[in-house]
Amino acid sequence: MRRGILGGTFDPPHVAHLLAGEAAFWELGLDVVTFLPAGAPWQKAGLDVSAPAHRWDMTCLAVAGIDYFEPDDREVAREGWTYTADTLDSFPSQEELVLILGADAAAGIRSWHRWEEVLGRVSLAVMPRPGAAPEAVEAAAGPHHLLDTPELDVSGTMIRRRRRAGATIRFLVPEAVLGYIESHGLYAR
Ligand code: ATP
């Protein structure tokens, strides 16, 4: 079993998350890509993050209909801060895990709780991202698979800001996620 793991705040899940999962699935011959919304992301303590229930629902909508993508609620269901090291421990040891990250996250991986354990447990698939230098990824994360994707200058922050400003976010997020954001009044002005 080769499992891709793509964690994030997913506030909201957007086109770059899906593209990273898609590229990793095909380039690395994975069996499944597991999308894990973070419960209480410690690196975003004090920041304004949407309720876990909203981020979970949007993640389910984002991956619906793609049979090799699955949402996983083990982080949103857990009390306390979310640490990737604990999450990885909760998968069976015989599974081969590929952690799928943006280049910014990969460059910062040594700031993670128990990062050496994380790097010992997984191999890495990294999606290039504007502003994140390949050398910084190499220095922090060591050997990794660089995904063959275009760089997309998209982030949750940018999508929330556009929404607050009244700009369209259609096609930056899946249509069902857009519908959810509209019907729940998320990121309202
Ligand atoms: P925010 O602006 O709210 O921090 P984000 O989209 O950057 O949002 P997450 O939802 O936490 O952040 O991202 C989850 C994972 O997806 C991280 O590994 C991140 O690096 C990666 N990712 C997000 N956007 C991109 C992008 N445009 N290109 C490459 N990787 C990305």
Side-chain angles (χ1 to χ4, degrees):
M1 175 72 167
R2 276 163 71 76
R3 181 190 298 276
I5 297 201
L6 209 167
T9 319
F10 298 150
D11 193 19
H14 55 67
V15 59
H17 301 135
L18 296 169
L19 183 59
E22 173 72 7
F25 179 80
W26 291 107
E27 291 178 30
L28 296 170
L30 303 178
D31 295 302
V32 66
V33 178
T34 300
F35 286 73
L36 279 146
W42 64 274
Q43 288 177 316
K44 294 193 177 171
L47 300 180
D48 190 15
V49 175
S50 300
H54 284 316
R55 297 183 293 102
W56 167 249
D57 287 347
M58 290 192 287
T59 303
C60 293
L61 291 170
V63 304
I66 300 155
D67 62 2
Y68 48 86
F69 283 0
E70 65 169 30
D72 187 302
D73 71 352
R74 73 186 69 200
E75 288 200 352
V76 278
R78 194 190 301 149
E79 294 290 320
W81 299 122
T82 299
Y83 297 115
T84 303
D86 296 331
T87 302
L88 297 175
D89 281 346
S90 68
F91 287 93
S93 57
Q94 65 274 20
E95 284 192 6
E96 187 182 336
L97 302 181
V98 177
L99 191 61
I100 305 165
L101 298 168
D104 58 313
I109 201 164
R110 293 190 184 209
S111 70
W112 293 13
H113 187 57
R114 291 159 49 206
W115 65 270
E116 284 151 307
E117 273 175 61
V118 172
L119 290 184
R121 174 69 179 95
V122 301
S123 57
L124 297 178
V126 178
M127 176 168 165
R129 191 169 191 180
E135 306 76 51
V137 174
E138 187 69 46
H144 59 275
H145 175 88
L146 188 63
L147 293 167
D148 181 18
T149 57
E151 290 190 6
L152 294 183
D153 195 3
V154 175
S155 67
T157 304
M158 180 261 253
I159 291 168
R160 296 191 300 275
R161 193 185 302 129
R162 287 179 65 87
R163 180 88 191 143
R164 288 199 181 96
T168 181
I169 58 169
R170 175 161 279 144
F171 306 126
L172 294 173
V173 297
E175 198 64 19
V177 172
L178 174 60
Y180 187 96
I181 291 168
E182 287 175 348
S183 65
H184 289 81
L186 297 187
Y187 322 127
R189 277 179 264 185

